[in-house]
Amino acid sequence: MKRNKRGYLIGQYCKWNENGRLVIEGNFATTEIVYTTIQDGIGFGQKEGKWKYYDNNGKLLRSEKYKKGKLIDKK
């Protein structure tokens, strides 16, 4: 997990459980765009692209797709 100078999460994100199994994987936005309003654009620390969530045995529970920090698809 990486953070930029302002402390926002950026890039690839992975989380493992106490047994070392991957339970979450996804990406945070790595670029910052000037906002026209606070709600517009994409900023650091927002989920971007595909996110996957697994149970403690490694089985895929669900996948989600984000664009500009907003959930656009869920399976």
Side-chain angles (χ1 to χ4, degrees):
M1 171 170 62
K2 297 179 184 178
R3 293 185 182 270
N4 68 3
K5 291 180 183 179
R6 295 182 185 176
Y8 292 109
L9 292 171
I10 59 171
Q12 187 176 10
Y13 174 83
C14 295
K15 180 177 180 181
W16 292 267
N17 67 13
E18 60 278 352
N19 296 323
R21 290 222 184 232
L22 182 65
V23 291
I24 301 173
E25 65 178 331
N27 287 289
F28 286 101
T30 58
T31 59
E32 187 172 38
I33 295 174
V34 176
Y35 295 98
T36 55
T37 69
I38 289 176
Q39 292 81 24
D40 290 343
I42 185 169
F44 295 122
Q46 291 183 335
K47 290 181 177 180
E48 184 67 17
K50 189 175 269 190
W51 282 69
K52 295 179 181 179
Y53 300 85
Y54 303 92
D55 68 12
N56 285 329
N57 295 315
K59 180 182 174 189
L60 181 65
L61 295 173
R62 72 181 189 277
S63 65
E64 301 173 340
K65 188 173 181 181
Y66 289 84
K67 185 172 184 178
K68 297 181 181 180
K70 294 182 182 181
L71 180 64
I72 59 170
D73 190 31
K74 184 176 180 179
K75 295 178 183 179

